[in-house]
Every structure is written in structure tokens, then in C-alpha cells.
Amino acid sequence: MAAAGRSPEAGLSGQRSIPGWKQHIALQLKHRDRVQKARYKHVIQSYNRLLERSSLLRHITENLQIEPAESSALSSPELGQCIGIEDMKRIHQEKIQGMQKKCGELAYEIIEKQEIVKEKEGILEEQINSMLDMEDQLQTWMNKQFRWRNLVGAQEQVNLELKRGYDELLATQRRKESELREGEDFEQSCLKEILALKNHRAAVQNEINDRIKQKNLQRELERVKKARVAVHLARRTEEPDGAAKSSDEHAAKVDVPKKLQRCHRSSSTLETRPSSFHGFFKVFANKPRSKSISSFSEERYQPLPICVLSRVPSRALCILDTFESEVNAVKFSPNSKLLATGGAGRNIELWDIGGGSMQSLQKFEGSNSTITSVEFDPTGNYILAASYERAAHLWNINCTLPKDSLTGHTGKVTAAKFTSMLHRAVTCSLDRTVKEWDLNRGACLNTISVPSYCSDVVCADYHIISGHHDGKIRFWDSRTKQCVHDIRLHGKITSLNINYNVTQLLSCTRDDELNVIDLRMSRVCLNSKVFRADGFKCGCDWTKAIFSPDGSYVMAGSSDGTLFIWNVNSGKLEKSLNEHHKSSVNAVAWSLSGEFVASADRGKKAILWSEF
């Protein structure tokens, strides 16, 4: 019996193992039976109770059919029957009909419950299938999770290796930078020694030349003394003086260099204003800046060293988006190692760009409104900034507070620039004035009234060039406060920039084009020198455009954040950079070394660019 009571599965387990999928199906069926039994147990119980009630009613109806016969037997006159037989039949018949009706209702209810049970079974089957699908998906996701965890572990190992390599490269870079600094120091010391040696050799050679010149002069005098000259007796007394005079003149001609024998132009010739703008710029361009002659002497800045070939930027070295507000102005120092930024944050921030990164050095405070322009003086020791508080501020880079504030404008100051003369600056404002300042005293020297709002200004010797909202560029003589000439363009002037040789002027206008003006020819260059590009849009009234240090390229930022660079010689678009800026570019700057480019936008972001 024990052997007969064993299940077939138990019997087969001794011979071979049951496959896993069969076990899984059996377990699922058992699970479904348990779930269905638990959910529909009360329905089955209700059904059983209804069956019991129906059987009870059937038994009662059978008894009622028997009771009339018994009641007829009992209905004798001696029992004093009060109710007739017909009435009792009617009553019992009504009860029977009521119970049959009740049984019909219960049967209909049973049928409805059976339909509900079938629907529930269908829903249950769907849920079971859905549960099985979800279990399969869960298993799939668990497998994927396991694979991704393995990949993450492998990537972490790769990252650790890369981090070690980066640390090694960083240490190597720092070591190379220290070696580079040592090499630069050694180069400077060698250069000083070479210069000293050359100066010494030049002094020795000058002494040798002087001795040779004296020997030649003595030889010539000896030759003159030995020469026999026939003279009249009446003029014998005059010969010595005449001979001495001739010898003195000859010696003077020997000693005096030929370039000193040429006559200089008088100062009055240069101070006379030319009859035409063309002639004025011709004189101005041909005149050497270091040998200019005027009615009074002025100290000037020494010429700055500049690169021979500028590099066109191609990638972002450093991206800063930690500014509290938009940036309106950027400027490199003359040595191309520092960068100054200013904007709506009211402060000037100084950055160290050594190694291709931007490290904050200090902030210059003192302005109570938005900064519109930033400028380094040619020595790199001072910073001049214009602001919306109707003033310009001058800082020494070693002090965070202003050295002086140039007040006197009645409107927003849009630009402030150093001139080529020491301790001089020029500012322009929306109050339609241009002012020249003495920075030693902080006093206004000249005020020039202009007919339109002034957006930007540049300087060239004694001449001031201003750009205006009426679309005109005006050229002013600061000594006479008179407009020498003006040039009309097609839109509002947003910025001006002059190249290093003071031969070309770049302007940016709101009609989405850049124009180059040849200061030697007094005309806007041909169409090849008017720079446009698809997608270039001037974003605001203070958008800046600049020359490269060597004058070979011009650059400006667009309203969509793209930087456009054109070749000045060919007039074609050289490159466009549209990777990082997402809002209008307000200002751009090109370092004098030609290596770096900086750009700033209205989205509180500044980027340092380079070629490599």
C-alpha cells in the first residue's frame, strides 16, 4: 500500500530528475490553486449555504403537501374547526409560491455569482501571466544590473589608472614650469650680460673710431702744412687766418654727421592743420611717433613689445561660470599674464592665466554701479574702468581701493582709455561729452561737446576718435577741440579698436557688420574689408570687436554666443567658435603675446581660448 500510495513524481525521481521547467509549472499551478481557493472560498461557502436552504425549503414544501391531508383528518366537529380547508390550501399554496420564487431568485443569484467567478478567474489568469512577465523582466534587469556593476567596477579601475597618470603629468608639468622659469631667469641674466658686453664693445669701438678720426685729422693737417701755396705778398698777412678758417671748416665738416647737416622741419609746419582730412592722416601716418615735434614736450609711454604672428584660437582652455552677474569687459595686461574682468557685479576681478587656467588673484572695489570698460596702462601697473555711476575709477594693481575717481560726467560713462602720453586718459559718456584727464591731479583738462551719444573712444597722439549712436565716427584734435573729420556708417557704433601700428581703425555697428577704416587713406576699405557672416548678430549697444595684436585678424562675438574671426587680408571668415557660450557675447580680448583670447557673455560666463 505504501508503494501504491507514492506519487508518480516520487517514483520517477529515483530513476531521473524532473526538469526545472516542469517543477516551475507545478509550483505555479499549486500557487494558483491556493490563491483561487483563498479568494473564492466565501463564494463556495455561500453556494453551499444556498444549497442547504434549498434542500430545507424542499423538505418544508413536502411537509406542507402532507399537512392538508392530516388537517382534513383533524377537522372534526368536535375540534371546533374555525378555518376552512380551502383557506388553508390557499395559504399553503401562497407559501409554496413564495418559496419557489425565493428559490428562483437564489438560483439566479447563484448564476450571477458563477459569472462573477468566471470573470475573476480570467482576471486572475491575466494577473498571473502579467506577474510571470514582470518576473521575467525583473530577472532581465537583475542580469543587466549585474553586468553594469561589473562595468562600473572596471571603469573605476580605469579611472584610478587615469588619475595616477594625471597626477604624474601634473607633477611633471609643475617640474617643467619651474624649469621653464629657471630657464627664463637664466635667459634674462644672459641677455643682460650680452647687452652689457655689447655696450662695452660699442664704447671700445667708439674710442677706436675717435682715435682713427683724430689720426686722420692730424694727417690731413700735416699734409696741408707741407703743401706749397703761391700767394701774393699783399695777402700774406691774411693767409694764416684764411688757412685756419679753411681748416676749421674742413674739420667741422668731418666731425659733424651728415644727418645733422639736414634741416629739420619747423614745429609750426606740423602744428598747422592740413587743408583736407586725407592730408592730415597722411602726415599723421608718415610721422615717426618717437620723433614727433610739437610746441611743447610731452612724456610718452615706451613702445610695447608685440608678437609678430597671432595664433587663431581653436579650443577653450578654461571656462568660468561662477560670476554673480553678467560680464561686460575683459582685458589682458601688457605682459599677457593677467586678465581683468568687470561687469554688473560692480567689482574688477584680476585673474592669473599662467598655465592656461584662470586663478583669481584679487578684487578691486570702489565702484557703486555696473562696469562698462576695463583698460590696463602700457606699464601694467594701473587699471582704468568706466562705470554707470557717471565716473571712471583708477586703481593701482597693488591696492584694492581706487587711487582716484574721475567725476564730472552727468551721464553713464561708456568707455575710459589711456592715451599714449603719460598720466593722461580720455573718457566718453552718454551726456554727449568727451573728457581728457590729468591722472596725476585727477583733474579734467579738456571737455569736448559731441552731437550724439558716445559709445566708445580710442586715442592716437593728440587726436581722439569717438563712435556715436547716430552712426558717425568723429575725429577730434584735442588741442583745438575741433572735429577734423567724420565718417558715416549704416548703424549705431558699438565699439572702436585701433591696430598697433595706428594705421587701421575697426568699428562694430548694430547693422551686424564690422568696418575697417584706413587712417592713411581716410576712407572705408573696399567690400573685402567689410566683414559679415551668416549667423553674426550684434547682441547689444556695447558689443566689442577687436584687432589681433599683429593686425592680421578681427574678432567679435554674436548674440547666439558664437565667436567669429575674419582674416583682414583676405576678408574671409577664418573660424567660428560656437561650443560653450549660450548667450550674447559682450566683450572679447586678445593678449599682446598673440597666444590667448578671452570672451565674456551675458550668461555670467568667461572663457579663455588658445590655439592648442
Short mmCIF file of all heavy atoms in Angstrom, two decimals, residues 173-231:
data_model
loop_
_atom_site.label_atom_id
_atom_site.label_comp_id
_atom_site.label_asym_id
_atom_site.label_seq_id
_atom_site.Cartn_x
_atom_site.Cartn_y
_atom_site.Cartn_z
N GLN A 173 54.34 68.55 -15.13
CA GLN A 173 54.08 69.91 -15.61
C GLN A 173 54.65 70.95 -14.65
O GLN A 173 55.28 71.93 -15.06
CB GLN A 173 52.58 70.12 -15.79
CG GLN A 173 52.21 71.53 -16.25
CD GLN A 173 50.73 71.80 -16.13
OE1 GLN A 173 49.99 70.95 -15.66
NE2 GLN A 173 50.31 72.97 -16.55
N ARG A 174 54.41 70.73 -13.36
CA ARG A 174 54.94 71.69 -12.37
C ARG A 174 56.46 71.72 -12.39
O ARG A 174 57.08 72.79 -12.29
CB ARG A 174 54.43 71.31 -10.99
CG ARG A 174 52.92 71.53 -10.83
CD ARG A 174 52.43 71.02 -9.49
NE ARG A 174 51.00 71.27 -9.33
CZ ARG A 174 50.27 70.82 -8.32
NH1 ARG A 174 50.84 70.05 -7.38
NH2 ARG A 174 48.98 71.09 -8.26
N ARG A 175 57.05 70.53 -12.54
CA ARG A 175 58.51 70.49 -12.61
C ARG A 175 59.01 71.21 -13.86
O ARG A 175 59.96 71.99 -13.80
CB ARG A 175 58.97 69.04 -12.60
CG ARG A 175 60.49 68.89 -12.55
CD ARG A 175 60.90 67.45 -12.36
NE ARG A 175 60.54 66.62 -13.50
CZ ARG A 175 59.53 65.77 -13.52
NH1 ARG A 175 58.76 65.63 -12.45
NH2 ARG A 175 59.26 65.05 -14.59
N LYS A 176 58.33 70.99 -15.00
CA LYS A 176 58.73 71.66 -16.23
C LYS A 176 58.52 73.17 -16.14
O LYS A 176 59.33 73.96 -16.66
CB LYS A 176 57.93 71.11 -17.41
CG LYS A 176 58.23 69.65 -17.74
CD LYS A 176 59.66 69.47 -18.20
CE LYS A 176 59.92 68.02 -18.61
NZ LYS A 176 61.32 67.80 -19.04
N GLU A 177 57.43 73.59 -15.46
CA GLU A 177 57.20 75.02 -15.31
C GLU A 177 58.30 75.66 -14.46
O GLU A 177 58.76 76.77 -14.76
CB GLU A 177 55.83 75.26 -14.67
CG GLU A 177 54.68 75.04 -15.62
CD GLU A 177 53.33 75.29 -14.96
OE1 GLU A 177 53.33 75.47 -13.72
OE2 GLU A 177 52.31 75.30 -15.67
N SER A 178 58.68 74.97 -13.39
CA SER A 178 59.78 75.51 -12.58
C SER A 178 61.08 75.57 -13.41
O SER A 178 61.82 76.56 -13.34
CB SER A 178 59.98 74.64 -11.34
OG SER A 178 60.35 73.32 -11.70
N GLU A 179 61.31 74.51 -14.22
CA GLU A 179 62.49 74.55 -15.08
C GLU A 179 62.38 75.68 -16.10
O GLU A 179 63.38 76.35 -16.41
CB GLU A 179 62.64 73.20 -15.79
CG GLU A 179 62.99 72.05 -14.86
CD GLU A 179 63.04 70.72 -15.59
OE1 GLU A 179 62.77 70.73 -16.82
OE2 GLU A 179 63.35 69.69 -14.96
N LEU A 180 61.16 75.90 -16.62
CA LEU A 180 60.96 76.99 -17.57
C LEU A 180 61.23 78.35 -16.92
O LEU A 180 61.89 79.21 -17.53
CB LEU A 180 59.53 76.94 -18.12
CG LEU A 180 59.13 78.08 -19.07
CD1 LEU A 180 59.99 78.07 -20.33
CD2 LEU A 180 57.66 77.96 -19.44
N ARG A 181 60.74 78.53 -15.70
CA ARG A 181 61.02 79.79 -15.01
C ARG A 181 62.51 79.98 -14.77
O ARG A 181 63.05 81.08 -14.95
CB ARG A 181 60.25 79.83 -13.70
CG ARG A 181 58.75 80.07 -13.87
CD ARG A 181 58.10 80.41 -12.55
NE ARG A 181 58.13 79.27 -11.63
CZ ARG A 181 57.17 78.36 -11.56
NH1 ARG A 181 56.11 78.44 -12.35
NH2 ARG A 181 57.26 77.36 -10.70
N GLU A 182 63.17 78.89 -14.37
CA GLU A 182 64.62 78.99 -14.18
C GLU A 182 65.31 79.32 -15.50
O GLU A 182 66.24 80.13 -15.54
CB GLU A 182 65.14 77.67 -13.61
CG GLU A 182 64.68 77.38 -12.19
CD GLU A 182 65.14 76.02 -11.71
OE1 GLU A 182 65.78 75.31 -12.53
OE2 GLU A 182 64.87 75.65 -10.55
N GLY A 183 64.84 78.68 -16.59
CA GLY A 183 65.42 78.98 -17.90
C GLY A 183 65.18 80.41 -18.32
O GLY A 183 66.06 81.07 -18.88
N GLU A 184 63.97 80.94 -18.03
CA GLU A 184 63.68 82.33 -18.37
C GLU A 184 64.57 83.28 -17.56
O GLU A 184 65.08 84.28 -18.09
CB GLU A 184 62.21 82.62 -18.12
CG GLU A 184 61.28 81.97 -19.12
CD GLU A 184 59.81 82.24 -18.81
OE1 GLU A 184 59.55 82.75 -17.69
OE2 GLU A 184 58.95 81.94 -19.66
N ASP A 185 64.72 82.95 -16.26
CA ASP A 185 65.61 83.79 -15.45
C ASP A 185 67.04 83.75 -15.98
O ASP A 185 67.72 84.79 -16.06
CB ASP A 185 65.58 83.32 -13.99
CG ASP A 185 64.22 83.51 -13.36
OD1 ASP A 185 63.44 84.35 -13.88
OD2 ASP A 185 63.91 82.83 -12.36
N PHE A 186 67.49 82.53 -16.34
CA PHE A 186 68.84 82.42 -16.89
C PHE A 186 68.95 83.17 -18.21
O PHE A 186 69.96 83.83 -18.49
CB PHE A 186 69.18 80.93 -17.08
CG PHE A 186 70.53 80.68 -17.67
CD1 PHE A 186 71.69 80.88 -16.93
CD2 PHE A 186 70.66 80.26 -18.99
CE1 PHE A 186 72.94 80.66 -17.49
CE2 PHE A 186 71.90 80.04 -19.55
CZ PHE A 186 73.06 80.24 -18.78
N GLU A 187 67.88 83.09 -19.03
CA GLU A 187 67.88 83.81 -20.31
C GLU A 187 67.97 85.32 -20.08
O GLU A 187 68.71 86.02 -20.78
CB GLU A 187 66.62 83.46 -21.08
CG GLU A 187 66.51 84.16 -22.42
CD GLU A 187 65.19 83.85 -23.11
OE1 GLU A 187 64.41 83.08 -22.54
OE2 GLU A 187 64.97 84.39 -24.20
N GLN A 188 67.20 85.82 -19.09
CA GLN A 188 67.25 87.25 -18.80
C GLN A 188 68.64 87.67 -18.33
O GLN A 188 69.16 88.72 -18.74
CB GLN A 188 66.20 87.59 -17.74
CG GLN A 188 64.76 87.47 -18.22
CD GLN A 188 64.43 88.46 -19.30
OE1 GLN A 188 64.98 89.55 -19.34
NE2 GLN A 188 63.54 88.07 -20.20
N SER A 189 69.24 86.83 -17.46
CA SER A 189 70.58 87.18 -16.99
C SER A 189 71.59 87.15 -18.15
O SER A 189 72.44 88.04 -18.27
CB SER A 189 71.01 86.20 -15.89
OG SER A 189 71.06 84.88 -16.39
N CYS A 190 71.45 86.12 -19.02
CA CYS A 190 72.35 86.07 -20.18
C CYS A 190 72.13 87.27 -21.10
O CYS A 190 73.08 87.85 -21.63
CB CYS A 190 72.14 84.77 -20.96
SG CYS A 190 72.68 83.28 -20.09
N LEU A 191 70.87 87.65 -21.26
CA LEU A 191 70.57 88.79 -22.12
C LEU A 191 71.18 90.07 -21.55
O LEU A 191 71.74 90.89 -22.29
CB LEU A 191 69.06 88.93 -22.25
CG LEU A 191 68.56 90.05 -23.17
CD1 LEU A 191 69.07 89.84 -24.59
CD2 LEU A 191 67.03 90.11 -23.15
N LYS A 192 71.08 90.22 -20.23
CA LYS A 192 71.69 91.40 -19.61
C LYS A 192 73.21 91.40 -19.81
O LYS A 192 73.81 92.43 -20.10
CB LYS A 192 71.34 91.42 -18.13
CG LYS A 192 69.88 91.73 -17.85
CD LYS A 192 69.60 91.73 -16.35
CE LYS A 192 68.12 92.02 -16.07
NZ LYS A 192 67.84 91.99 -14.61
N GLU A 193 73.81 90.20 -19.63
CA GLU A 193 75.25 90.13 -19.82
C GLU A 193 75.62 90.44 -21.28
O GLU A 193 76.60 91.15 -21.54
CB GLU A 193 75.75 88.74 -19.44
CG GLU A 193 75.64 88.44 -17.95
CD GLU A 193 76.09 87.03 -17.62
OE1 GLU A 193 76.48 86.30 -18.57
OE2 GLU A 193 76.06 86.65 -16.44
N ILE A 194 74.81 89.92 -22.23
CA ILE A 194 75.10 90.19 -23.65
C ILE A 194 74.97 91.67 -23.95
O ILE A 194 75.80 92.26 -24.66
CB ILE A 194 74.16 89.35 -24.53
CG1 ILE A 194 74.52 87.87 -24.41
CG2 ILE A 194 74.24 89.80 -25.98
CD1 ILE A 194 73.53 86.95 -25.08
N LEU A 195 73.91 92.29 -23.40
CA LEU A 195 73.73 93.73 -23.63
C LEU A 195 74.88 94.53 -23.03
O LEU A 195 75.39 95.48 -23.64
CB LEU A 195 72.39 94.18 -23.04
CG LEU A 195 71.13 93.67 -23.75
CD1 LEU A 195 69.89 94.11 -22.99
CD2 LEU A 195 71.09 94.20 -25.18
N ALA A 196 75.28 94.13 -21.82
CA ALA A 196 76.41 94.84 -21.20
C ALA A 196 77.68 94.66 -22.03
O ALA A 196 78.45 95.62 -22.23
CB ALA A 196 76.62 94.32 -19.78
N LEU A 197 77.90 93.43 -22.53
CA LEU A 197 79.08 93.18 -23.35
C LEU A 197 79.02 93.99 -24.65
O LEU A 197 80.02 94.58 -25.08
CB LEU A 197 79.18 91.68 -23.65
CG LEU A 197 80.39 91.23 -24.49
CD1 LEU A 197 81.69 91.58 -23.78
CD2 LEU A 197 80.32 89.72 -24.75
N LYS A 198 77.82 94.04 -25.27
CA LYS A 198 77.69 94.82 -26.49
C LYS A 198 77.92 96.30 -26.24
O LYS A 198 78.56 97.00 -27.04
CB LYS A 198 76.31 94.60 -27.10
CG LYS A 198 76.14 93.23 -27.77
CD LYS A 198 74.81 93.12 -28.47
CE LYS A 198 74.69 91.81 -29.21
NZ LYS A 198 73.40 91.67 -29.92
N ASN A 199 77.40 96.79 -25.13
CA ASN A 199 77.62 98.19 -24.79
C ASN A 199 79.11 98.48 -24.59
O ASN A 199 79.63 99.52 -25.02
CB ASN A 199 76.83 98.57 -23.55
CG ASN A 199 75.33 98.58 -23.80
OD1 ASN A 199 74.90 98.80 -24.93
ND2 ASN A 199 74.54 98.32 -22.77
N HIS A 200 79.77 97.54 -23.91
CA HIS A 200 81.20 97.72 -23.69
C HIS A 200 81.96 97.72 -25.02
O HIS A 200 82.83 98.58 -25.26
CB HIS A 200 81.72 96.61 -22.78
CG HIS A 200 83.21 96.65 -22.57
ND1 HIS A 200 83.83 97.66 -21.84
CD2 HIS A 200 84.19 95.80 -22.99
CE1 HIS A 200 85.13 97.43 -21.84
NE2 HIS A 200 85.38 96.31 -22.52
N ARG A 201 81.60 96.77 -25.90
CA ARG A 201 82.27 96.71 -27.19
C ARG A 201 81.98 97.96 -28.02
O ARG A 201 82.84 98.48 -28.73
CB ARG A 201 81.83 95.47 -27.95
CG ARG A 201 82.37 94.16 -27.36
CD ARG A 201 81.92 92.98 -28.17
NE ARG A 201 82.49 91.73 -27.66
CZ ARG A 201 82.22 90.52 -28.15
NH1 ARG A 201 81.38 90.43 -29.19
NH2 ARG A 201 82.77 89.45 -27.64
N ALA A 202 80.73 98.43 -27.91
CA ALA A 202 80.39 99.65 -28.64
C ALA A 202 81.21 100.84 -28.13
O ALA A 202 81.69 101.67 -28.92
CB ALA A 202 78.90 99.94 -28.51
N ALA A 203 81.39 100.92 -26.80
CA ALA A 203 82.18 102.01 -26.24
C ALA A 203 83.64 101.91 -26.70
O ALA A 203 84.26 102.92 -27.07
CB ALA A 203 82.09 102.00 -24.71
N VAL A 204 84.17 100.66 -26.68
CA VAL A 204 85.56 100.47 -27.14
C VAL A 204 85.69 100.85 -28.61
O VAL A 204 86.65 101.53 -29.02
CB VAL A 204 86.00 99.01 -26.90
CG1 VAL A 204 87.35 98.74 -27.54
CG2 VAL A 204 86.05 98.71 -25.41
N GLN A 205 84.68 100.41 -29.43
CA GLN A 205 84.74 100.73 -30.85
C GLN A 205 84.62 102.23 -31.09
O GLN A 205 85.28 102.78 -31.99
CB GLN A 205 83.62 99.99 -31.58
CG GLN A 205 83.69 100.10 -33.09
CD GLN A 205 84.93 99.43 -33.66
OE1 GLN A 205 85.37 98.39 -33.16
NE2 GLN A 205 85.53 100.03 -34.69
N ASN A 206 83.82 102.90 -30.28
CA ASN A 206 83.72 104.36 -30.41
C ASN A 206 85.05 105.04 -30.09
O ASN A 206 85.47 106.00 -30.77
CB ASN A 206 82.62 104.89 -29.49
CG ASN A 206 81.24 104.51 -29.98
OD1 ASN A 206 81.05 104.28 -31.17
ND2 ASN A 206 80.28 104.42 -29.06
N GLU A 207 85.72 104.54 -29.05
CA GLU A 207 87.04 105.10 -28.74
C GLU A 207 88.01 104.88 -29.88
O GLU A 207 88.79 105.79 -30.25
CB GLU A 207 87.56 104.48 -27.45
CG GLU A 207 86.76 104.87 -26.21
CD GLU A 207 87.31 104.20 -24.96
OE1 GLU A 207 88.29 103.41 -25.09
OE2 GLU A 207 86.76 104.44 -23.87
N ILE A 208 87.97 103.66 -30.46
CA ILE A 208 88.88 103.38 -31.59
C ILE A 208 88.55 104.29 -32.76
O ILE A 208 89.46 104.86 -33.41
CB ILE A 208 88.76 101.90 -31.99
CG1 ILE A 208 89.28 100.99 -30.85
CG2 ILE A 208 89.51 101.62 -33.28
CD1 ILE A 208 89.03 99.52 -31.08
N ASN A 209 87.25 104.46 -33.05
CA ASN A 209 86.86 105.35 -34.14
C ASN A 209 87.29 106.78 -33.89
O ASN A 209 87.74 107.49 -34.81
CB ASN A 209 85.35 105.29 -34.35
CG ASN A 209 84.89 103.94 -34.86
OD1 ASN A 209 85.70 103.20 -35.45
ND2 ASN A 209 83.63 103.60 -34.63
N ASP A 210 87.18 107.24 -32.64
CA ASP A 210 87.62 108.59 -32.32
C ASP A 210 89.13 108.75 -32.54
O ASP A 210 89.60 109.77 -33.09
CB ASP A 210 87.26 108.93 -30.87
CG ASP A 210 85.75 109.09 -30.68
OD1 ASP A 210 85.07 109.32 -31.70
OD2 ASP A 210 85.27 108.96 -29.54
N ARG A 211 89.89 107.74 -32.12
CA ARG A 211 91.35 107.82 -32.31
C ARG A 211 91.70 107.83 -33.80
O ARG A 211 92.56 108.59 -34.25
CB ARG A 211 92.04 106.66 -31.60
CG ARG A 211 92.05 106.79 -30.08
CD ARG A 211 93.07 105.85 -29.47
NE ARG A 211 92.75 104.46 -29.70
CZ ARG A 211 92.01 103.71 -28.89
NH1 ARG A 211 91.52 104.24 -27.79
NH2 ARG A 211 91.77 102.45 -29.18
N ILE A 212 91.00 106.95 -34.57
CA ILE A 212 91.26 106.93 -36.02
C ILE A 212 90.90 108.27 -36.64
O ILE A 212 91.61 108.80 -37.50
CB ILE A 212 90.46 105.80 -36.67
CG1 ILE A 212 91.00 104.43 -36.19
CG2 ILE A 212 90.52 105.87 -38.18
CD1 ILE A 212 90.18 103.26 -36.63
N LYS A 213 89.78 108.85 -36.20
CA LYS A 213 89.37 110.13 -36.74
C LYS A 213 90.39 111.22 -36.40
O LYS A 213 90.74 112.07 -37.25
CB LYS A 213 87.99 110.49 -36.18
CG LYS A 213 87.36 111.70 -36.81
CD LYS A 213 86.04 112.04 -36.16
CE LYS A 213 85.05 110.95 -36.38
NZ LYS A 213 83.72 111.29 -35.82
N GLN A 214 90.89 111.19 -35.18
CA GLN A 214 91.90 112.18 -34.80
C GLN A 214 93.19 111.99 -35.61
O GLN A 214 93.81 112.97 -36.06
CB GLN A 214 92.20 112.06 -33.30
CG GLN A 214 91.04 112.51 -32.40
CD GLN A 214 90.75 113.99 -32.55
OE1 GLN A 214 91.65 114.80 -32.85
NE2 GLN A 214 89.48 114.34 -32.35
N LYS A 215 93.58 110.73 -35.83
CA LYS A 215 94.78 110.49 -36.62
C LYS A 215 94.60 110.98 -38.05
O LYS A 215 95.50 111.60 -38.64
CB LYS A 215 95.11 109.00 -36.61
CG LYS A 215 95.64 108.49 -35.27
CD LYS A 215 95.96 107.01 -35.36
CE LYS A 215 96.50 106.50 -34.03
NZ LYS A 215 96.82 105.05 -34.08
N ASN A 216 93.41 110.69 -38.61
CA ASN A 216 93.15 111.17 -39.97
C ASN A 216 93.17 112.69 -40.04
O ASN A 216 93.68 113.28 -41.00
CB ASN A 216 91.81 110.64 -40.47
CG ASN A 216 91.81 109.15 -40.69
OD1 ASN A 216 92.88 108.56 -40.93
ND2 ASN A 216 90.66 108.51 -40.60
N LEU A 217 92.63 113.31 -39.02
CA LEU A 217 92.63 114.78 -38.99
C LEU A 217 94.05 115.32 -38.87
O LEU A 217 94.42 116.29 -39.57
CB LEU A 217 91.75 115.25 -37.83
CG LEU A 217 91.61 116.77 -37.67
CD1 LEU A 217 91.01 117.39 -38.93
CD2 LEU A 217 90.77 117.10 -36.46
N GLN A 218 94.87 114.72 -38.02
CA GLN A 218 96.26 115.14 -37.88
C GLN A 218 97.02 114.93 -39.19
O GLN A 218 97.82 115.78 -39.61
CB GLN A 218 96.93 114.36 -36.75
CG GLN A 218 96.41 114.70 -35.36
CD GLN A 218 96.74 116.12 -34.95
OE1 GLN A 218 97.73 116.72 -35.42
NE2 GLN A 218 95.91 116.69 -34.08
N ARG A 219 96.76 113.80 -39.85
CA ARG A 219 97.43 113.53 -41.11
C ARG A 219 97.03 114.57 -42.16
O ARG A 219 97.87 115.04 -42.95
CB ARG A 219 97.07 112.12 -41.58
CG ARG A 219 97.94 111.64 -42.76
CD ARG A 219 97.56 110.24 -43.19
NE ARG A 219 97.74 109.27 -42.12
CZ ARG A 219 96.76 108.65 -41.50
NH1 ARG A 219 95.52 108.90 -41.84
NH2 ARG A 219 97.02 107.80 -40.54
N GLU A 220 95.77 114.92 -42.18
CA GLU A 220 95.31 115.92 -43.14
C GLU A 220 95.93 117.29 -42.85
O GLU A 220 96.34 118.01 -43.77
CB GLU A 220 93.78 116.01 -43.09
CG GLU A 220 93.16 116.90 -44.14
CD GLU A 220 93.34 116.36 -45.54
OE1 GLU A 220 93.60 115.13 -45.68
OE2 GLU A 220 93.23 117.12 -46.50
N LEU A 221 96.03 117.61 -41.56
CA LEU A 221 96.64 118.90 -41.19
C LEU A 221 98.12 118.92 -41.56
O LEU A 221 98.64 119.96 -42.04
CB LEU A 221 96.46 119.15 -39.68
CG LEU A 221 95.02 119.43 -39.21
CD1 LEU A 221 94.99 119.54 -37.70
CD2 LEU A 221 94.51 120.72 -39.85
N GLU A 222 98.81 117.78 -41.36
CA GLU A 222 100.22 117.73 -41.73
C GLU A 222 100.37 117.87 -43.24
O GLU A 222 101.28 118.56 -43.74
CB GLU A 222 100.83 116.39 -41.27
CG GLU A 222 100.94 116.25 -39.78
CD GLU A 222 101.96 117.24 -39.20
OE1 GLU A 222 102.87 117.66 -39.95
OE2 GLU A 222 101.82 117.56 -38.00
N ARG A 223 99.47 117.23 -43.98
CA ARG A 223 99.54 117.37 -45.44
C ARG A 223 99.30 118.79 -45.88
O ARG A 223 99.97 119.32 -46.79
CB ARG A 223 98.50 116.44 -46.09
CG ARG A 223 98.61 116.37 -47.63
CD ARG A 223 97.49 115.52 -48.17
NE ARG A 223 96.20 116.13 -47.90
CZ ARG A 223 95.68 117.15 -48.63
NH1 ARG A 223 96.38 117.64 -49.65
NH2 ARG A 223 94.51 117.64 -48.33
N VAL A 224 98.37 119.47 -45.21
CA VAL A 224 98.09 120.87 -45.56
C VAL A 224 99.28 121.76 -45.22
O VAL A 224 99.64 122.69 -45.97
CB VAL A 224 96.80 121.34 -44.84
CG1 VAL A 224 96.62 122.84 -45.00
CG2 VAL A 224 95.60 120.59 -45.37
N LYS A 225 99.94 121.47 -44.08
CA LYS A 225 101.09 122.28 -43.69
C LYS A 225 102.24 122.14 -44.69
O LYS A 225 102.95 123.09 -44.99
CB LYS A 225 101.56 121.87 -42.30
CG LYS A 225 100.64 122.31 -41.18
CD LYS A 225 101.19 121.87 -39.83
CE LYS A 225 100.28 122.28 -38.70
NZ LYS A 225 100.78 121.83 -37.39
N LYS A 226 102.41 120.91 -45.20
CA LYS A 226 103.53 120.68 -46.11
C LYS A 226 103.23 121.16 -47.53
O LYS A 226 104.15 121.25 -48.35
CB LYS A 226 103.87 119.19 -46.15
CG LYS A 226 104.41 118.67 -44.82
CD LYS A 226 104.70 117.19 -44.91
CE LYS A 226 105.25 116.65 -43.59
NZ LYS A 226 105.52 115.21 -43.66
N ALA A 227 102.00 121.40 -47.83
CA ALA A 227 101.65 121.84 -49.19
C ALA A 227 102.21 123.24 -49.45
O ALA A 227 102.18 124.11 -48.57
CB ALA A 227 100.14 121.81 -49.37
N ARG A 228 102.73 123.45 -50.65
CA ARG A 228 103.25 124.75 -51.05
C ARG A 228 102.18 125.52 -51.80
O ARG A 228 101.61 125.04 -52.77
CB ARG A 228 104.47 124.60 -51.96
CG ARG A 228 105.64 123.95 -51.25
CD ARG A 228 106.82 123.87 -52.18
NE ARG A 228 107.96 123.27 -51.52
CZ ARG A 228 109.15 123.08 -52.09
NH1 ARG A 228 109.32 123.43 -53.36
NH2 ARG A 228 110.14 122.52 -51.42
N VAL A 229 101.92 126.73 -51.31
CA VAL A 229 100.88 127.57 -51.89
C VAL A 229 101.51 128.88 -52.29
O VAL A 229 102.19 129.54 -51.48
CB VAL A 229 99.74 127.82 -50.87
CG1 VAL A 229 98.66 128.68 -51.50
CG2 VAL A 229 99.18 126.48 -50.41
N ALA A 230 101.31 129.29 -53.56
CA ALA A 230 101.82 130.58 -54.04
C ALA A 230 100.77 131.64 -53.77
O ALA A 230 99.64 131.55 -54.26
CB ALA A 230 102.12 130.50 -55.53
N VAL A 231 101.13 132.66 -53.03
CA VAL A 231 100.20 133.74 -52.67
C VAL A 231 100.85 135.07 -52.98
O VAL A 231 102.08 135.21 -53.12
CB VAL A 231 99.82 133.65 -51.17
CG1 VAL A 231 99.09 132.37 -50.89
CG2 VAL A 231 101.07 133.74 -50.30
#
